[in-house]
Amino acid sequence: MDVLISSATMCISPKNPFLVRSARPGSLILPKPRSPANSVRFHRVAAVAAARATAIDLSDPEWKLKYQRDFEERFNIPHITDAFPDAEAIPSTFCLKMRSPTYINNKDRVLLKVINYSSPASAGAVCIDPDCTWIEQWVQRAGPRENIYFRPEDVKAAIVTCGGLCPGLNDVIRLIVITLEIYGVKNIVGIPFGYRGFSDKNLPEIPLSRKVVQNIHLSGGSLLGVSRGGPTVTEIVDSMEERGINMLFVLGGNGTHAGANAIHNECVKRRMKVAVVGVPKTIDNDILHMDKTFGFDTAVEEAQRAINSAYIEAHSAYHGIGVVKLMGRSSGFIAMQASLASGQVDICLIPEVPFNFHGPDGVLKHLNYLIETKGSAVVCVAEGAGQSFLENTNAKDASGNKVLGDIGVHIQQETKKYFKENGVAADVKYIDPTYMIRAVRANASDGILCTVLGQNAVHGAFAGYSGITVGIINNHYAYLPIPEVIAYDKSVDPNSRMWHRCLTSTGQPDFL
Ligand SMILES: Nc1ncnc2c1ncn2[C@@H]1O[C@H](COP(=O)(O)OP(=O)(O)O)[C@@H](O)[C@H]1O
Ligand SMILES: O=P(O)(O)OC[C@H]1O[C@](O)(COP(=O)(O)O)[C@@H](O)[C@@H]1O
Ligand SMILES: [Mg+2]
């Protein structure tokens, strides 16, 4: 569970079960937004989640039942019949050439959490109460339904890709289009350059068909283009009304999904029979509840190449130090996984784990030790790490995301200075492979994930769901209500086995 509810007087942090904070009885603890620039956005979303979650009084003998009911309500996915109770269901038009498809029953569920922790002290434990009481948490299974709520001939489907690039965008677009055609949809368009394409009159819709998308997965990027910022939700929905779009597939991260949810709500308010379905795209892997998001595997694989280059440079130089900065605004998943996978990293720094540069336990002292003992060293740092050491410019990008200082450059400069001051030779090389990684095409495992997610997005829309997103959970596929996946950024748990494995691999000490 991501939001922890207090016991009579205490509550335990969901991210760090060892951290017990006092709280008012019955109060609800929501994680603090990580980035100040995003705080308005995440406070807003968190408030939605908070409003929907019932504070649980653990002294109530019925608390478990109430908790379960609350969970079911929160993870219930909006359906077109909520606003249109008389909406007609027709037999599915999804048909395969060779055989008739098997369907998902609406009552099928996927288990969200699969470990029954016996104690909050267990590594990575996420507990609801101090006894770590086991509560089954079921979410909706994704897939084709026997009955659908849209006649294919009445559908105008649109696809939009927002935010930064991520490997696999084209794979998802491709499968959405192909699946829509299998249902019988003829009117499919791409909205160019993210949400901007809804308002910029100079950007015409891109007609899509199997023929157009057949080979797009062979290259990275997005056939449709991406952007940050753009029109207001009102303008987007006005544009959808004008264009007659009644199915919208939104590929993007937390910002895009906040937009998609707002679009869904606005459509409900205007009584438009529209399905808005998200497919989470975040190379940083910071969307809640999912095993991973598409593009992440590819990013880790590609990041290893940069780490390997940094290693070779460092290893070939006299007292060489290689610094690689990887993506991860507020979550260090790519840096952690790539460090683990490569086995060539001596120091991995992520936003979730504080560290000092200077002082007897600082990064620089350890680098000095590595140079003395090994002769070279490799540092892998996530872009959001160590921001407190950098000047805060308060600058924001077009989407309102905080523009971060370059921690890689900072490490390079500080390291050079430190070794110079100590009269020790050091050859410091810095690599920032961000845009090289983001632009590659998806690897095989991401390609498959994209295929499944794209197909399921279309099944969800035809099944009449809206305001939902699709994800892989414990190797199964599920539909989730958007507010629950973007309540805050998923981040690396410093108490998790994975982070501890990373520390084992690098051999680094605590830099505090
Ligand atoms: N809270 C929000 N409500 C509506 N739209 C948003 C919100 N936050 C971001 N957006 C829009 O979503 C798009 C992508 O957001 P961004 O943060 O750049 O990328 P990502 O979706 O990958 O997080 C942008 O066009 C931005 O204007
Ligand atoms: O230079 P840009 O396009 O703003 O992208 C930088 C950002 O893109 C990312 O790679 C992914 O961010 P999004 O999920 O918001 O697209 C971040 O790690 C990074 O901060
Ligand atoms: Mg984002």
Side-chain angles (χ1 to χ4, degrees):
M1 193 50 221
D2 303 296
V3 176
L4 259 211
I5 318 294
S6 75
S7 66
T9 53
M10 308 276 264
C11 59
I12 303 162
S13 158
K15 297 199 168 180
N16 180 355
F18 307 107
L19 191 98
V20 179
R21 303 189 218 121
S22 65
R24 276 182 295 112
S27 71
L28 178 82
I29 300 303
L30 283 166
K32 268 181 28 195
R34 304 196 140 254
S35 131
N38 282 340
S39 59
V40 174
R41 180 165 103 205
F42 286 109
H43 269 135
R44 187 141 35 94
V45 180
V48 174
R52 296 174 67 197
T54 312
I56 305 281
D57 174 7
L58 293 176
S59 61
D60 179 347
E62 302 235 311
W63 75 265
K64 188 174 158 181
L65 194 71
K66 286 183 181 165
Y67 181 89
Q68 236 161 351
R69 265 196 227 128
D70 174 59
F71 180 88
E72 269 169 38
E73 203 179 297
R74 283 174 44 218
F75 282 81
N76 180 38
I77 50 178
H79 193 266
I80 267 163
T81 49
D82 301 343
F84 300 94
D86 300 331
E88 189 200 357
I90 59 165
S92 179
T93 54
F94 179 66
C95 62
L96 305 173
K97 275 192 185 136
M98 309 303 287
R99 58 184 68 205
S100 44
T102 48
Y103 295 109
I104 299 291
N105 189 297
N106 276 339
K107 289 186 182 144
D108 287 357
R109 295 289 183 274
V110 172
L111 201 50
L112 186 61
K113 308 280 180 203
V114 288
I115 299 183
N116 184 351
Y117 295 100
S118 56
S119 141
S122 291
V126 181
C127 304
I128 295 158
D129 68 331
D131 294 332
C132 264
T133 303
W134 168 251
I135 300 185
E136 286 173 11
Q137 297 170 22
W138 297 104
V139 294
Q140 300 262 357
R141 187 177 173 203
R145 268 53 178 176
E146 209 161 354
N147 289 319
I148 57 173
Y149 284 82
F150 289 89
R151 288 180 189 282
E153 60 274 22
D154 298 337
V155 170
K156 176 168 179 182
I159 308 172
V160 63
T161 55
C162 313
L165 285 183
C166 176
L169 281 167
N170 280 336
D171 302 61
V172 179
I173 296 168
R174 179 173 178 271
L175 252 295
I176 290 176
V177 172
I178 288 174
T179 313
L180 282 166
E181 282 199 353
I182 294 174
Y183 270 96
V185 179
K186 300 250 180 323
N187 198 354
I188 311 168
V189 297
I191 304 296
F193 299 105
Y195 287 139
R196 163 192 277 262
F198 277 111
S199 60
D200 191 331
K201 301 281 180 242
N202 296 318
L203 297 173
E205 290 174 357
I206 302 165
L208 297 173
S209 62
R210 181 188 273 264
K211 200 166 163 222
V212 173
V213 300
Q214 190 60 48
N215 294 317
I216 60 171
H217 62 301
L218 300 179
S219 64
S222 165
L223 170 77
L224 309 176
V226 291
S227 72
R228 299 196 190 273
T232 63
V233 168
T234 309
E235 286 167 332
I236 293 173
V237 180
D238 285 349
S239 165
M240 285 172 65
E241 261 191 308
E242 247 170 58
R243 298 164 191 245
I245 293 167
N246 55 1
M247 261 188 205
L248 179 64
F249 299 96
V250 183
L251 282 53
N254 35 29
T256 308
H257 273 72
N261 200 52
I263 293 168
H264 156 73
N265 287 333
E266 183 64 23
C267 290
V268 171
K269 205 172 106 194
R270 296 190 194 186
R271 293 198 56 78
M272 290 162 62
K273 194 181 162 222
V274 171
V276 183
V277 179
V279 181
K281 167 246 50 156
T282 151
I283 207 164
D284 297 355
N285 199 30
D286 56 5
I287 295 270
L288 293 167
H289 303 305
M290 296 165 191
D291 300 352
K292 62 179 176 181
T293 43
F294 74 81
F296 175 69
D297 258 9
T298 310
V300 170
E301 202 170 295
E302 207 57 28
Q304 275 190 95
R305 293 185 217 282
I307 291 173
N308 190 48
S309 300
Y311 174 82
I312 289 170
E313 283 286 348
H315 209 64
S316 307
Y318 177 68
H319 285 184
I321 297 175
V323 179
V324 181
K325 183 184 77 172
L326 295 175
M327 297 84 80
R329 232 195 270 273
S330 57
S331 310
F333 288 105
I334 299 182
M336 173 177 75
Q337 301 278 49
S339 297
L340 249 179
S342 77
Q344 292 174 313
V345 171
D346 300 291
I347 300 177
C348 177
L349 304 171
I350 59 172
E352 294 88 339
V353 179
F355 58 89
N356 284 325
F357 270 124
H358 297 276
D361 299 317
V363 170
L364 295 170
K365 188 87 185 159
H366 188 59
L367 273 176
N368 191 53
Y369 165 78
L370 291 168
I371 291 298
E372 275 175 5
T373 52
K374 289 177 63 181
S376 66
V378 175
V379 180
C380 175
V381 60
E383 64 177 323
Q387 288 297 308
S388 56
F389 301 116
L390 308 172
E391 197 193 334
N392 184 355
T393 60
N394 285 323
K396 289 180 185 164
D397 70 14
S399 295
N401 300 306
K402 184 176 164 55
V403 175
L404 300 177
D406 194 328
I407 186 67
V409 169
H410 183 75
I411 293 178
Q412 185 189 31
Q413 287 169 350
E414 288 297 303
T415 307
K416 279 184 176 169
K417 211 163 85 191
Y418 173 85
F419 279 93
K420 196 171 171 199
E421 279 168 11
N422 288 300
V424 179
D427 193 348
V428 191
K429 300 275 178 7
Y430 169 46
I431 299 177
D432 177 355
T434 302
Y435 298 118
M436 295 187 73
I437 294 175
R438 290 198 336 187
V440 300
R441 63 175 277 201
N443 66 11
S445 104
D446 271 330
I448 293 166
L449 180 60
C450 291
T451 303
V452 181
L453 297 178
Q455 279 216 4
N456 278 324
V458 177
H459 293 317
F462 265 102
Y465 296 113
S466 182
I468 62 160
T469 196
V470 56
I472 180 166
I473 296 177
N474 302 315
N475 273 328
H476 296 281
Y477 300 91
Y479 294 134
L480 298 159
I482 291 175
E484 294 300 331
V485 301
I486 56 167
Y488 54 93
D489 292 355
K490 184 170 85 175
S491 55
V492 172
D493 177 357
N495 291 310
S496 63
R497 293 290 307 124
M498 199 53 100
W499 176 244
H500 289 186
R501 279 181 207 113
C502 185
L503 296 181
T504 318
S505 170
T506 59
Q508 73 195 63
D510 276 344
F511 296 114
L512 285 175

